[in-house]
């Protein structure tokens, strides 16, 4: 028999094992607007997206607080990988109804960063230490519902997604030419400082019981419509300094994840290389079925990159043709390609392994 046959059989078996590992697996989400599913709807903050045209392609065609035209990253992971409904925002009172608590929870809050001084302009948002405090509250509630032992088992077996870092650049270091962090650090120094603080965050998450964690890096920040507009890019060339920041930061993030896994003697953390995957779309959009990669579907000004997406903004008719939904966030279609890469990508994109391999390792032994 041919090698192709054996490879096909192996891939099918791996997928079945991964499906078994996904069964009844809780899902926890921490981070910023890329993964916020509506927590900020319950907070007095300007960092919200609970208004049209956000949600135009969501199943209900209504805004939900997701910074997307439709589904966001946790939604797609839940639906296509875990085969479950997405976990509810923890601030949503419905989290306590029925079996919702057993499915996990989303603690993410738009506007936050690794650093507590990131996103100060958004006022009342759930900074990462507050998200962790809510995670502890969740575990207390869960223990009362199913018992402490079962609660610990549910958390340790869960899939966890953490998305942080982008705001520490666009809403902190690069926010103004005279930002305090910019005066305090050179760009390489700042990236190293962020990574050192991020390591503390991930160690705390491990302390709280997480044992399988996807950590996403930043995309190519210099290429997002907001930075193209602010830098005055004449022909869509990526802004050099934010782009350099992404490259330095993501390289250091992968190194830190490797070091942390070595210290724990276990591959708890998986680094997802969002920079290279997004750069693929941006450099060759037509290869992925996109028409444009530098203009946002929704917005105003150059590249539709100024201000926020709102009911008065320019709005494209075919969201599937755009990499970016608004000045910062990808479209649902771009996110689906990113999730596919998280599941099956090579070590160029997923280090030390992709999620399919990790879930096969996590499957119960028979």
């Amino acid at each position: 028999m041919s090698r192709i046959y054996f490879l096909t059989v192996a891939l099918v078996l791996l997928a079945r094992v991964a499906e078994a590992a996904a069964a009844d697996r809780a899902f926890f989400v921490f981070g910023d607007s890329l993964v916020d599913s509506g927590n900020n709807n319950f907070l007095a903050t300007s960092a919200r997206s609970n208004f049209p045209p956000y949600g135009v392609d969501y199943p209900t065609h209504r805004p939900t607080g997701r910074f997307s035209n439709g589904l966001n990253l946790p939604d797609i992971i839940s639906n296509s990988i875990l085969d479950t409904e997405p976990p509810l925002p923890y601030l949503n009172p419905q989290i306590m109804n029925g079996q919702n608590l057993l499915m996990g929870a989303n603690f993410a809050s738009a506007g936050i960063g690794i650093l507590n001084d990131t996103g100060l302009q958004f006022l009342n948002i759930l900074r990462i230490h507050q998200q962790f405090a809510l995670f502890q509250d969740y575990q207390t509630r869960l223990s009362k519902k199913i018992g402490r032992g079962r609660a610990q088992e549910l958390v340790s077996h869960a899939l966890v997604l953490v998305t942080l870092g982008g705001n520490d650049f666009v809403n902190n270091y690069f926010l103004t030419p005279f930002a305090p962090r910019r005066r305090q650090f050179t760009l390489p120094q700042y990236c190293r400082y962020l990574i050192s603080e991020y390591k503390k965050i991930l160690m705390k998450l491990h302390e709280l019981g997480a044992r399988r964690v996807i950590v996403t890096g930043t995309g190519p920040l210099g290429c997002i419509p907001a930075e193209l507009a602010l830098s005055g890019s004449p022909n869509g060339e990526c802004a050099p300094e934010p782009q350099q920041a992404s490259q330095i930061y993501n390289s250091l993030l992968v190194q830190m994840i490797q070091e942390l896994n070595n210290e724990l003697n276990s591959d708890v953390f998986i680094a997802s290389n969002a920079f290279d995957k997004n750069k693929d779309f941006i450099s060759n959009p037509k290869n992925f079925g996109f028409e444009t990669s530098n203009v946002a579907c929704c917005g105003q000004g150059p590249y539709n990159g100024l201000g926020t997406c709102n009911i008065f903004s320019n709005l494209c008719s075919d969201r599937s043709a755009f990499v970016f939904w608004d000045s910062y966030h990808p479209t649902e279609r771009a996110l689906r390609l990113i999730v596919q890469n998280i599941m099956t990508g090579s070590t160029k994109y997923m280090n030390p392994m992709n999620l399919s391999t990790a879930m096969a390792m996590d499957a119960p032994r028979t």
Side-chain angles (χ1 to χ4, degrees):
M1 294 184 182
S2 69
R3 290 183 180 179
I4 294 176
Y5 172 80
F6 284 113
L7 180 59
T8 302
V9 170
L11 289 172
V12 169
L13 291 174
L14 184 63
R16 288 178 179 173
V17 173
E19 286 172 6
D24 301 320
R25 189 168 198 171
F27 186 26
F28 299 107
V29 182
F30 302 90
D32 56 27
S33 60
L34 288 166
V35 291
D36 183 355
S37 293
N39 277 313
N40 280 19
N41 293 353
F42 301 92
L43 300 172
T45 177
S46 60
R48 286 187 175 192
S49 59
N50 57 340
F51 48 85
Y54 287 97
V56 63
D57 298 312
Y58 193 74
T60 61
H61 303 291
R62 299 178 64 183
T64 62
R66 292 161 171 83
F67 287 76
S68 171
N69 60 300
L71 303 181
N72 67 2
L73 198 61
D75 294 328
I76 299 166
I77 290 174
S78 295
N79 293 343
S80 63
I81 296 178
L82 300 179
D83 196 25
T84 63
E85 290 297 312
L88 290 174
Y90 192 63
L91 297 187
N92 187 332
Q94 294 181 15
I95 192 80
M96 294 303 294
N97 295 348
Q99 300 298 303
N100 288 338
L101 210 61
L102 302 181
M103 296 170 64
N106 187 322
F107 302 93
S109 178
I112 76 149
I114 295 167
L115 306 180
N116 285 332
D117 58 284
T118 289
L120 290 176
Q121 68 271 34
F122 301 126
L123 301 177
N124 189 26
I125 51 181
L126 299 176
R127 305 193 182 283
I128 194 62
H129 69 276
Q130 294 170 298
Q131 293 184 28
F132 285 173
L134 290 175
F135 187 34
Q136 290 175 291
D137 180 71
Y138 165 90
Q139 294 190 48
T140 300
R141 286 180 167 188
L142 185 66
S143 296
K144 290 178 180 177
K145 188 178 181 73
I146 64 174
R148 185 176 179 183
R150 284 186 62 199
Q152 289 176 337
E153 183 179 353
L154 183 147
V155 169
S156 66
H157 181 63
L159 180 66
V160 181
L161 175 66
V162 185
T163 298
L164 288 171
N167 283 323
D168 294 287
F169 294 104
V170 298
N171 282 309
N172 193 327
Y173 194 84
F174 294 123
L175 187 60
T176 72
F178 307 104
R181 292 296 188 182
R182 195 161 186 159
R183 296 198 306 268
Q184 182 182 7
F185 295 109
T186 65
L187 186 54
Q189 288 172 340
Y190 184 64
C191 291
R192 288 193 293 271
Y193 176 61
L194 286 180
I195 293 299
S196 68
E197 293 301 301
Y198 206 170
K199 184 176 182 179
K200 296 174 187 175
I201 289 168
L202 296 180
M203 290 173 68
K204 179 64 177 178
L205 187 55
H206 182 265
E207 181 184 317
L208 293 173
R211 293 297 181 270
R212 181 63 73 198
V213 185
I214 302 170
V215 182
T216 66
T218 70
L221 296 175
C223 305
I224 63 176
E227 291 298 332
L228 296 181
L230 290 172
S231 67
S233 176
N235 298 303
E237 299 91 349
C238 300
E241 200 174 16
Q243 196 71 347
Q244 181 189 11
S246 300
Q247 291 172 317
I248 297 171
Y249 172 86
N250 284 292
S251 177
L252 292 174
L253 178 63
V254 172
Q255 293 177 32
M256 182 268 282
I257 294 291
Q258 292 172 338
E259 292 168 3
L260 188 53
N261 284 339
N262 288 338
E263 291 172 18
L264 297 171
N265 198 29
S266 177
D267 289 331
V268 172
F269 299 99
I270 299 173
S272 174
N273 185 344
F275 179 88
D276 279 343
K277 191 60 197 174
N278 281 273
K279 195 70 170 65
D280 291 345
F281 303 156
I282 290 164
S283 300
N284 301 289
K286 293 188 186 304
N287 289 355
F288 296 89
F290 297 108
E291 290 300 318
T292 179
S293 61
N294 53 23
V295 177
C297 169
C298 181
Q300 46 278 317
Y303 307 100
N304 279 342
L306 296 179
T308 59
C309 170
N310 59 70
I311 197 168
F312 302 107
S313 298
N314 302 317
L315 179 65
C316 69
S317 58
D318 182 6
R319 270 73 68 180
S320 67
F322 287 70
V323 171
F324 287 100
W325 157 244
D326 63 14
S327 56
Y328 292 100
H329 305 95
T331 57
E332 178 184 325
R333 182 164 179 271
L335 289 172
R336 287 189 177 279
L337 293 174
I338 291 169
V339 170
Q340 181 181 337
N341 185 257
I342 288 173
M343 190 63 178
T344 61
S346 68
T347 51
K348 174 185 176 182
Y349 302 104
M350 300 295 297
N351 193 286
M353 69 190 84
N354 59 38
L355 184 55
S356 178
T357 301
M359 292 176 70
M361 291 172 59
D362 296 342
R365 300 286 183 259
T366 56

